[in-house]
Amino acid sequence: MGARVVVGVSGSLASLAALRAAAGEARRSGRVLVAVIAWEPPEGEGLYLRRPDRAWARHWQDAARASLDRAFEEAFGGSPQGVTVERWVVRDRPGRALCGLVQRGDDLLVLGTRRRWSRTGRHVHAHAGCPVMTVPGPSAPRHARRALRKARAEDFAAIPPLPTALMTGSRRRARIFRPVDPRRAGLDRRPG
């Protein structure tokens, strides 16, 4: 088996950016793209073991698979072109799942981050036996971060792309901030 590009997917905007970057890296290097979503029972493994329920576990595994499929749909509109893709749904913590799938030292592990030292990021950097590429999620002004935590890719579908003339002369990445509808973002605090 050849070298692979392993990417963690959670459905967040940072993981969608990581998925796009990993697909580009896999396409450039001719590697297989392995997209991984990790899941655990919402009550945790310890409480689940007290009262195991296979139907409940199957429900959460199916939800994780649907989230992985939705991430590919949001990032590429399906599967990326020119890349061999493997989709994995793993029952484990994200950091352990990602490090467990890395098989060789020439694999590449790609991780999207909102902040610098998340729990998963710390685990991956400490235990991965391969190079790790971290992809920052989209940045936002401090007052809009709370609203953007719940944002999905389709919320940004109506935003037109920037003209390339605006992006070429700057050393920093161009950013556009659109007003957030407070009702869709959950910021409408009127009693209901």
Side-chain angles (χ1 to χ4, degrees):
M1 178 181 282
R4 304 176 307 164
V5 177
V6 180
V7 59
V9 178
S10 66
S12 69
L13 294 176
S15 75
L16 293 177
L19 183 59
R20 287 187 207 103
E25 184 61 35
R27 188 177 300 112
R28 277 189 296 279
S29 62
R31 299 178 185 186
V32 174
L33 175 65
V34 179
V36 182
I37 188 164
W39 70 278
E40 287 185 300
E43 66 272 11
E45 290 291 345
L47 288 177
Y48 178 81
L49 290 175
R50 287 184 178 172
R51 292 180 177 242
D53 183 359
R54 291 182 186 207
W56 185 244
R58 196 174 317 109
H59 164 75
W60 288 106
Q61 182 177 8
D62 292 344
R65 181 170 306 285
S67 179
L68 181 61
D69 293 339
R70 189 171 46 253
F72 272 91
E73 196 62 36
E74 290 173 356
F76 307 110
S79 286
Q81 299 296 320
V83 178
T84 304
V85 178
E86 294 178 13
R87 299 180 190 196
W88 289 64
V89 178
V90 179
R91 183 176 175 172
D92 202 352
R93 290 186 183 256
R96 287 193 306 216
L98 291 169
C99 291
L101 283 173
V102 175
Q103 297 174 343
R104 301 167 40 154
D106 57 349
D107 286 347
L108 175 66
L109 187 55
V110 182
L111 189 65
T113 58
R114 271 191 306 209
R115 54 181 194 243
R116 188 172 180 159
W117 298 110
S118 67
R119 181 182 195 180
T120 302
R122 283 192 308 264
H123 189 283
V124 164
H125 283 285
H127 297 95
C130 69
V132 176
M133 180 171 77
T134 55
V135 179
S139 61
R142 181 168 281 181
H143 68 276
R145 289 182 188 158
R146 174 172 281 159
L148 288 175
R149 284 188 194 133
K150 304 272 184 198
R152 308 288 311 160
E154 60 264 10
D155 296 335
F156 300 96
I159 298 174
L162 274 178
T164 55
L166 293 177
M167 295 188 285
T168 55
S170 174
R171 289 188 323 170
R172 295 183 67 188
R173 190 172 58 148
R175 298 181 195 148
I176 292 181
F177 299 110
R178 300 278 192 241
V180 176
D181 182 2
R183 290 168 292 175
R184 287 190 71 198
L187 297 176
D188 190 7
R189 293 199 175 112
R190 287 178 275 163

